[in-house]
Amino acid sequence: MTGSGRPTALERLSQAGTLFTYLRTEFTGLDIAATTNRIEGGTNAQLRLILRAHRGMSEEHQKRAIEWYLYLHSETPDQPARLIRPKHCTPTRPAAQTAVEPPHGPEEYGNTATAEEGLWARKGWAGRT
């Protein structure tokens, strides 16, 4: 017990009978692992990899990514194409665009440099030859 009179976490687990269950005689022959390494190195590591690879996702998107991973690795997942409903995919068609024809005839006003106006590409340093 701690100085406050409350039992520690290890004491509570021991009293509940959930600590070191792999050592109990009634579980002999069941091949119960003494560690959670299979969970940490198998499933949880893959989930952490997904979250690390996609760090920019919002919390809600992270939850959906984990749910999706777990669903795809369940015993009998449906094909993703069968899960998509019309409400999930509503393709929008781009608005019909009319072709704009260039105007006929000479250009009235333009933004092109012309020699008549004294605007042309100069050579050398600041136009000096």
Side-chain angles (χ1 to χ4, degrees):
M1 286 215 201
T2 61
S4 64
R6 296 185 333 198
T8 63
L10 285 175
E11 289 172 331
R12 283 193 309 271
L13 290 171
S14 179
Q15 291 169 358
T18 56
L19 192 62
F20 303 116
T21 54
Y22 68 97
L23 295 175
R24 294 170 61 188
T25 55
E26 62 260 26
F27 298 128
T28 303
L30 294 179
D31 194 31
I32 297 176
T35 65
T36 58
N37 286 345
R38 286 188 221 156
I39 295 171
E40 292 301 320
T43 306
N44 290 350
Q46 298 305 313
L47 299 178
R48 278 194 302 272
L49 253 171
I50 290 171
L51 296 177
R52 189 177 309 122
H54 303 287
R55 287 188 295 267
M57 292 190 291
S58 66
E59 184 177 343
E60 183 63 30
H61 196 169
Q62 289 176 357
K63 289 177 185 178
R64 297 291 294 170
I66 296 300
E67 287 173 3
W68 184 245
Y69 175 85
L70 293 174
Y71 174 74
L72 289 178
H73 289 84
S74 63
E75 288 184 30
T76 56
D78 278 341
Q79 292 297 319
R82 295 189 67 201
L83 298 174
I84 297 173
R85 305 272 188 264
K87 67 178 181 178
H88 298 123
C89 179
T90 53
T92 58
R93 293 184 181 182
Q97 296 179 356
T98 58
V100 178
E101 292 186 23
H104 298 288
E107 184 177 41
E108 294 180 15
Y109 298 102
N111 56 4
T112 307
T114 61
E116 293 85 25
E117 296 175 351
L119 304 172
W120 59 87
R122 297 181 177 164
K123 297 181 182 174
W125 181 76
R128 297 182 183 93
T129 53

